């Protein structure tokens, strides 16, 4: 059974710092990997989607990389801002699981002014 | 474009009562799904649908029913509510099976007493 782990569970950084969030998964037979943002009391917003054949995706200050063979993905946030404070979740889609996303537990990020 | 709309946002039930959580999307997405989010358990798939008239079970389907009579709507029915079903429920949709990013509703917070 696929397991997705995110480390650290919580992170507090000063504004302006560059930071990396980690995601690891146990079964490399994935179709894609997505990074989501969740604000308190809200739904999830998709940030980046990386297909299994891709190595990375970029959107503004966000860059996500994927190393399928080692079962790892990272989300890099450049020049962090207080508005980046949220919980970040990664999720993998497997080829044979009815588009079932397996989610990690999330990293709760606090960016201090 | 409203995206994915869930109602109600909050609901309190007594054990044994039944209710329906509504989900509608206006993006002409074929794929729709229901997740529940619990502290320490992350997001888990309850049921999903790859098109009108087609539904299937996810990871935690017991105690829930779904139907998909139209492309737009995917209601989730709790047959006889139990305290273990206290959770935040999210509906999500995507363009197709195994394609594209997943769009989430804002969530429905259910408490079963």
């Amino acid at each position: 059974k696929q397991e997705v782990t995110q480390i650290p569970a919580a992170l507090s950084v000063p504004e302006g710092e560059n930071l990396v969030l980690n995601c690891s998964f146990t079964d490399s037979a994935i179709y894609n990997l997505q990074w989501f943002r969740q604000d308190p009391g809200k739904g999830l917003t998709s940030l980046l989607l990386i297909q299994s054949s891709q190595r990375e995706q970029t959107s503004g200050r966000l860059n996500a990389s994927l190393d399928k063979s080692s079962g790892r993905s990272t989300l890099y946030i450049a020049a962090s801002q207080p508005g980046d404070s949220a919980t970040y979740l990664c999720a993998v889609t497997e080829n044979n699981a009815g588009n079932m996303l397996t989610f990690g537990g999330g990293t709760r990020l606090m960016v201090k002014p | 474009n409203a995206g994915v709309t869930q109602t109600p946002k909050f609901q309190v039930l007594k054990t044994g009562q039944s209710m329906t959580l509504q989900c509608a999307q206006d993006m002409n997405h074929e794929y729709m799904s229901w997740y529940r989010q619990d502290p320490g358990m992350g997001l888990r798939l309850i049921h999903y649908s790859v098109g009108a008239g087609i539904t299937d079970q996810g990871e935690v389907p017991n105690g829930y029913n779904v139907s998909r009579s139209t492309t737009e709507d995917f209601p989730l029915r709790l047959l006889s509510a139990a305290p273990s079903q206290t959770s935040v429920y999210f509906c999500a949709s995507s363009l197709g099976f195994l394609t594209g990013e997943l769009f989430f509703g804002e969530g429905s917070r259910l408490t079963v007493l």
Side-chain angles (χ1 to χ4, degrees):
Chain A
K1 182 187 172 194
Q2 178 77 265
E3 292 183 6
V4 180
T5 304
Q6 291 186 245
I7 294 173
L11 182 63
S12 180
V13 301
E15 182 177 4
E17 192 163 297
N18 301 325
L19 56 101
V20 174
L21 307 182
N22 296 295
C23 172
S24 61
F25 46 96
T26 54
D27 187 344
S28 62
I30 65 169
Y31 190 81
N32 60 41
L33 182 145
Q34 295 185 58
W35 281 94
F36 295 88
R37 169 185 173 136
Q38 185 175 28
D39 293 288
K42 300 290 187 182
L44 282 71
T45 300
S46 180
L47 297 172
L48 290 164
L49 169 69
I50 310 177
Q51 302 294 347
S52 63
S53 59
Q54 297 175 319
R55 298 284 295 188
E56 66 177 345
Q57 282 286 341
T58 298
S59 175
R61 293 183 294 108
L62 305 179
N63 175 275
S65 67
L66 174 64
D67 184 342
K68 209 173 74 156
S69 61
S70 68
R72 293 175 188 271
S73 176
T74 61
L75 179 67
Y76 175 82
I77 302 176
S80 58
Q81 303 170 357
D84 294 330
S85 298
T87 296
Y88 291 81
L89 299 107
C90 70
V92 298
T93 302
E94 297 173 78
N95 288 337
N96 59 350
N99 201 13
M100 181 190 308
L101 269 71
T102 303
F103 283 85
T107 294
R108 192 169 62 253
L109 173 66
M110 170 81 71
V111 181
K112 297 174 289 186
Chain B
N1 246 2
V4 179
T5 303
Q6 291 183 233
T7 57
K9 287 190 178 356
F10 301 93
Q11 183 72 48
V12 178
L13 290 179
K14 294 181 180 176
T15 296
Q17 287 184 317
S18 62
M19 78 156 299
T20 299
L21 299 177
Q22 301 291 344
C23 175
Q25 52 88 12
D26 61 359
M27 298 174 282
N28 203 31
H29 284 174
E30 289 296 321
Y31 179 85
M32 296 184 74
S33 54
W34 277 101
Y35 289 84
R36 59 178 291 174
Q37 186 175 36
D38 303 288
M41 302 292 290
L43 279 131
R44 294 177 292 169
L45 182 68
I46 305 171
H47 285 284
Y48 66 95
S49 168
V50 297
I54 306 169
T55 64
D56 207 344
Q57 297 180 349
E59 184 183 356
V60 288
N62 292 339
Y64 307 94
N65 268 359
V66 291
S67 60
R68 184 95 180 269
S69 56
T70 67
T71 299
E72 294 78 21
D73 299 299
F74 191 44
L76 178 72
R77 296 182 188 84
L78 281 70
L79 309 171
S80 177
S84 62
Q85 293 178 304
T86 293
S87 186
V88 182
Y89 292 85
F90 289 99
C91 179
S93 72
S94 67
L95 193 58
F97 179 71
L98 287 181
T99 59
E101 64 186 288
L102 209 58
F103 292 82
F104 279 79
E106 297 259 300
S108 297
R109 184 176 294 274
L110 175 67
T111 301
V112 183
L113 303 175

